[in-house]
Amino acid sequence: MFDSYARNIDYLRVSVTNRCNLRCKYCMPEEGLADLGHTSILTLEEIARLVRIGARVGIRKVRLTGGEPLVRRNITKLIADIAQIPGISDIAITTNGMLYADMAEELKAAGLTRINFSLDSLNPETFKYITRRGSLNEVIRSIAKAIEIGMAPIKINTVVMKGINDHEILDFVELATRMPLHVRFIEFMPVGDLPFYKTDRVVTVNEVREIIEQKYELYKGVNVQGNGPAKSYHIHSGIGTIGFISAMSDHFCGECNRIRMTADGKLRSCLFGKEELNLRLALQNHASDEKLIDIFSKAIREKPQRHHMDEGWGADNKRKMYQIGG
Ligand code: SAM
Ligand code: SF4
C-alpha cells in the first residue's frame, strides 16, 4: 500500500519484547527498567494475526526485533507461523547475538531468512562497557554459526561513538574484507533521553567514510538484499561490504518503506514519531479483521513525510529504543 507521499510500505518491524539480556548504554537505562509484564504485551498468536492483517495491506517483509527478540519464549514457533502467511516472503531478525548460536538451526528451519547482529566493539572490555553485561565471545560464536549454516546476507550493525569505539572503524572494515559480512556503520541517535547520548559522541557517516577512505577504496553499486536505508560499498578484494546508515546527518525518510509494531501492540509509522495507534486495545475490544485493516491503513496513510529528530525533539520521545524496536 502506498502512503500519502507515494512510498510503498511493505515492511513491518515487529518488536516481540521489551526485555533484553544486555543493557547497552545508548539504548536502555541500567536500572528502573519499565519492563512490560506478560499481561501487557501481545501474545504470539496476536502478533501472528496482526502480521496476517499487515500482509493484507501489502506487507511483504517482516523483521523481528525488541528488546532482544531471542529472549521471547517460543520465538521459533512465531517465525514458523509468520512463514505460513500468504504474501510474506522475507522474515529477518535483529539480535545482539548472545543466544543465537544454540538456536541458529531451529530458527532457520522455521523460516528465518536473514539476520542482523548488533556489534559495536571487537574488544572484549569495550564490548562489556557498552553492553554493561555482554560476552563478546558469545556474539562471535553466533556470527560464526550463522556463516556456517549459510545464512545470507549476514549484517553487522555498528553504532559509532566518539571516544568509545571510533578507533575500531578500520577493524570492522577489515572484518568485512575477510568474512561474508555486511558491516553497516550507524549514527548514534538521541532516542528516549538517555544520559549516555551526547552530541559530541556522534560520529557522522561522512566522518566514518573519511577514516575508511584513508586506507581503503570504496566501490559503489552493491545491492545487498534488504539493505533498506544503508548505502553499501565493496572494498577491493573483500567478500563482505560496508554500509552507512545516516539517520541524523542525511535522513533517508524519502525511501522509508516501513511501519513498526511495539511489543505492547502500538502501531507506529515512524521510529522517531510520537503518533501511535493502539492495536492491542482493538484486540481487547474483539476487533474484526476489517477493523484491524482500517488501523493499519490509517497508520500507512498518515505516515509523516520525514522525522524531525535533527531539529531537537528526538530526546523527548517517551520511548527508548528497546521500547520501540530498533
Ligand atoms: N536487541 C537487538 C539488538 O541489539 O540487535 C534488537 C533491538 S536493538 C534496539 C536494535 C538496534 O538498535 C541495534 O542495532 C542497536 O544498535 C540500535 N540502537 C539502539 N539504540 C540506538 C541509538 N541510540 N542510536 C543508534 N542505534 C541504536
Ligand atoms: Fe538490548 Fe539491543 Fe538495546 Fe542492546 S541495543 S540493550 S541488545 S535491545
Side-chain angles (χ1 to χ4, degrees):
M1 179 176 164
F2 286 88
D3 71 2
S4 322
Y5 302 94
R7 294 171 296 197
N8 184 13
I9 308 303
D10 64 354
Y11 182 8
L12 176 65
R13 287 202 172 206
V14 180
S15 172
V16 295
T17 180
N18 273 6
R19 294 175 188 220
C20 189
N21 44 358
L22 302 185
R23 291 286 182 278
C24 304
K25 291 196 157 112
Y26 51 66
C27 175
M28 264 185 160
E30 181 160 30
E31 310 287 347
L33 207 58
D35 199 359
L36 296 171
H38 286 301
T39 49
S40 57
I41 62 170
L42 295 173
T43 64
L44 296 182
E45 291 72 23
E46 287 171 332
I47 293 175
R49 180 178 175 205
L50 291 168
V51 173
R52 195 168 293 113
I53 297 294
R56 287 182 61 185
V57 298
I59 295 299
R60 297 292 168 259
K61 297 179 268 183
V62 174
R63 175 173 298 277
L64 304 179
T65 179
E68 171 50 37
L70 297 184
V71 303
R72 179 91 197 239
R73 208 181 302 168
N74 292 330
I75 187 78
T76 310
K77 161 97 172 59
L78 175 66
I79 291 172
D81 289 347
I82 294 175
Q84 299 302 316
I85 297 175
I88 301 297
S89 55
D90 187 27
I91 309 173
I93 204 164
T94 300
T95 173
N96 59 33
M98 291 292 294
L99 300 172
Y100 174 77
D102 296 330
M103 301 171 75
E105 265 129 9
E106 59 177 275
L107 292 169
K108 187 176 182 198
L112 187 70
T113 43
R114 292 188 295 112
I115 185 155
N116 289 15
F117 291 102
S118 302
L119 177 60
D120 306 316
S121 178
L122 300 170
N123 172 307
E125 269 138 46
T126 311
F127 180 88
K128 190 83 169 206
Y129 171 78
I130 295 171
T131 62
R132 292 192 180 106
R133 50 177 78 168
S135 150
L136 179 60
N137 275 346
E138 278 311 305
V139 183
I140 304 243
R141 191 164 79 89
S142 288
I143 295 172
K145 185 75 188 180
I147 297 173
E148 181 195 317
I149 66 167
M151 296 298 290
I154 302 169
K155 296 180 191 162
I156 307 291
N157 290 351
T158 304
V159 179
V160 185
M161 295 161 283
K162 202 164 280 169
I164 312 277
N165 64 348
D166 54 334
H167 59 286
E168 294 189 55
I169 291 169
L170 292 177
D171 299 339
F172 277 97
V173 177
E174 201 265 331
L175 195 67
T177 66
R178 281 191 289 117
M179 304 180 103
L181 300 174
H182 303 279
V183 174
R184 293 121 46 90
F185 294 104
I186 300 178
E187 281 175 4
F188 189 4
M189 300 179 284
V191 185
D193 198 22
L194 284 169
F196 190 66
Y197 180 85
K198 307 226 174 339
T199 41
D200 58 11
R201 283 200 172 130
V202 174
V203 185
T204 66
V205 293
N206 280 341
E207 290 169 316
V208 175
R209 228 188 125 130
E210 273 167 29
I211 292 170
I212 297 172
E213 286 182 332
Q214 284 169 17
K215 181 160 179 195
Y216 296 94
E217 207 168 329
L218 297 175
Y219 298 93
K220 226 181 156 184
V222 191
N223 186 12
V224 180
Q225 193 200 352
N227 227 4
K231 296 184 179 114
S232 297
Y233 299 86
H234 267 306
I235 330 129
H236 187 58
S237 79
I239 15 183
T241 65
I242 298 297
F244 302 100
I245 302 186
S246 55
M248 298 295 287
S249 65
D250 176 18
H251 70 82
F252 35 77
C253 306
E255 293 149 51
C256 185
N257 62 347
R258 61 195 63 179
I259 54 174
R260 294 165 189 270
M261 197 161 85
T262 64
D264 56 347
K266 307 282 167 40
L267 197 58
R268 294 173 69 97
S269 56
C270 177
L271 170 59
F272 307 114
K274 292 175 195 163
E275 306 303 323
E276 298 182 332
L277 297 175
N278 198 335
L279 288 166
R280 188 160 174 271
L281 185 65
L283 290 172
Q284 282 166 343
N285 292 333
H286 310 289
S288 63
D289 283 0
E290 280 60 39
K291 171 73 192 157
L292 296 172
I293 286 175
D294 281 351
I295 298 176
F296 269 81
S297 304
K298 181 172 159 59
I300 294 175
R301 252 193 337 269
E302 295 177 1
K303 183 172 166 69
Q305 186 175 19
R306 56 159 295 190
H307 74 69
H308 293 274
M309 202 172 52
D310 48 342
E311 288 155 29
W313 59 269
D316 61 53
N317 206 334
K318 281 202 196 79
R319 287 180 188 261
K320 300 182 189 5
M321 203 68 154
Y322 75 97
Q323 293 164 315
I324 305 174

